[in-house]
Amino acid sequence: MAGQGAGAGDFIQPTSAGILAAVVGFASAFTIVLQGLAAAGATPIQAASGLLALCVVKGLIGIQMGLFSRLPISIAWSTPGAALLIATGVPTGGFPAAVGGFLVAAGLIVLAGLWPLFGRLVGRIPMGLASAMLAGVLFDLCLAPVRSMAALPWLTLPILLTWALMLRFARLYAVPVSVAVTAGLIAWSTPLPDLAAAWPRPELVLPIFSLEAAISIGLPLFIVTMASQNIPGLAVLRGNGYDPDTRPIFIITGMGSAVAALFGGQAMNLAAITAALCAGPEAHPDPGKRYRATVAAAATYILLGLGASYAAAFIAAAPPLLIQAVAGLALLPSLASALAGGLAKEAERLPVILTFTVAASGIGFFSIGPAFWGLVAGGALMLALRKA
């Protein structure tokens, strides 16, 4: 009997942890992904296709990695990358040009796995500057709750109160419960989309490659994905006693990102925050059995992806500012981490603040977005100060 109980626990504990990680990860960030794709020029159908592609591809990769490596390697979409798209806007050439930028980022991720020297060069980008660029990208969206409170106070206030109360009593569920409250408010105030027409439909997007999109979307998307997702994701794994080979992870996630890009998805990477649910003791006391949690999470993501079209239609029917407010609340922890990381070294604070200021300005030059120019400005000042 004891053996049967242990066997059931070996299945129930990691499975429940994986399902929780997927639900929290999806509910906390799907609004940001859809907003990012729409900001890059995607139609609601293309945005739904992108969300579906990200869910299915990262689910398949997560199952494959978990079963073959026996390590709790969690795969996620690039939430900071979606925020980058919101800050960058529609490139010349529309959404197909943005997809070309997604493919450039995917190719760079693969290159980081195939060419160790390139991976080391990427690792030499000062973390302070990368963090400051990310903070600048996130800053405007994190102001959305304030703007929404000014424009839609009676809809926004319940969301803010829910978020604050959940932070106090059940921090992990703060954003998912806030999203649920938002959905209820939207359902009360907005006509609902037709459920029968919301079955997911993959939409192939033929890319357009341009230097503008490669520099303003592809390169910053690659940098924020590596700096704010892959590196923290590796830290979570190593903090729980795992030391995976990064090369196959980068190659597989880069190739998966390329496949998802053709259907509108922006990028995939190692999970950072939700990875702790699958790699820690909450998933299983035995570290050798925690990979089951990542397999369960990956399978759950595939199921959640089936609701992508309805989610996109629901978001499209909602007041944009209200959706941005929820996205801003979800990104506040990322903004705090990015600011803390950027300002950690006193000697780098001036270049870091310059990077943040330029990236947050929303002003680009030569049709290239501010995230890239923020990194250039901060890097140039850092080099000048070192030579001085």
Side-chain angles (χ1 to χ4, degrees), residues 99-125:
V99 169
F102 300 167
L103 288 170
V104 169
L108 291 173
I109 295 171
V110 172
L111 186 60
L114 290 175
W115 188 16
L117 176 60
F118 179 69
R120 288 195 294 272
L121 289 174
V122 172
R124 294 186 65 182
I125 295 174

Side-chain angles (χ1 to χ4, degrees), residues 15-386:
T15 299
S16 59
I19 292 173
L20 175 62
V23 171
V24 169
F26 184 91
S28 299
F30 81 93
T31 56
I32 305 170
V33 172
L34 291 174
Q35 283 280 300
L37 295 175
T43 65
I45 292 176
Q46 290 172 329
S49 174
L51 183 62
L52 170 65
L54 289 169
C55 287
V56 171
V57 175
K58 75 177 179 177
L60 294 175
I61 291 175
I63 292 172
Q64 184 267 336
M65 282 192 167
L67 293 178
F68 281 89
S69 71
R70 291 296 198 269
L71 296 175
I73 299 173
S74 300
I75 306 300
W77 52 48
S78 178
T79 304
L84 169 73
L85 299 180
I86 296 173
T88 303
V90 183
T92 302
F95 192 57
V99 169
F102 300 167
L103 288 170
V104 169
L108 291 173
I109 295 171
V110 172
L111 186 60
L114 290 175
W115 188 16
L117 176 60
F118 179 69
R120 288 195 294 272
L121 289 174
V122 172
R124 294 186 65 182
I125 295 174
M127 184 57 66
L129 296 187
S131 297
M133 182 185 74
L134 175 60
V137 166
L138 299 178
F139 183 68
D140 187 68
L141 189 56
C142 288
L143 293 176
V146 182
R147 296 180 179 131
S148 184
M149 188 63 195
L152 303 166
W154 298 112
L155 290 176
T156 307
L157 185 59
I159 299 169
L160 295 179
L161 291 176
T162 300
W163 175 74
L165 286 172
M166 294 305 296
L167 275 182
R168 173 65 178 84
F169 296 106
R171 189 181 188 92
L172 183 64
Y173 302 99
V175 173
V177 174
S178 299
V179 170
V181 171
T182 306
L185 291 169
I186 293 170
W188 170 70
S189 61
T190 307
L192 293 176
D194 182 12
L195 276 172
W199 190 251
R201 290 183 294 165
E203 180 91 358
L204 182 66
V205 182
L206 296 178
I208 294 175
F209 293 97
S210 69
L211 183 61
E212 173 199 332
I215 295 176
S216 62
I217 293 178
L219 184 58
L221 177 58
F222 167 68
I223 292 173
V224 299
T225 297
M226 295 294 286
S228 63
Q229 293 281 156
N230 281 331
I231 292 175
L234 286 171
V236 169
L237 287 170
R238 288 166 180 162
N240 284 282
Y242 304 97
D243 191 18
D245 184 358
T246 60
R247 290 174 298 176
I249 294 175
F250 293 160
I251 293 170
I252 294 171
T253 56
M255 293 174 65
S257 296
V259 173
L262 293 174
F263 295 93
Q266 81 276 15
M268 283 176 293
N269 39 248
L270 285 172
I273 298 172
T274 55
L277 292 172
C278 296
E282 297 85 358
H284 201 282
D286 182 357
K289 296 180 179 179
R290 294 175 190 169
Y291 74 91
R292 298 174 183 176
T294 60
V295 174
T300 304
Y301 269 121
I302 294 175
L303 294 176
L304 290 170
L306 298 179
S309 294
Y310 183 71
F314 200 79
I315 296 301
L321 193 56
L322 199 65
I323 298 302
Q324 291 170 16
V326 180
L329 292 177
L331 289 170
L332 279 175
S334 297
L335 175 62
S337 298
L339 288 172
L343 298 171
K345 296 181 180 179
E346 186 174 353
E348 297 180 356
R349 285 181 182 173
L350 192 56
V352 161
I353 287 298
L354 179 61
T355 300
F356 169 77
T357 303
V358 175
S361 69
I363 300 172
F365 301 94
F366 307 109
S367 299
I368 297 171
F372 172 78
W373 294 114
L375 198 62
V376 169
L381 182 59
M382 184 174 286
L383 288 175
L385 292 177
R386 283 180 182 176

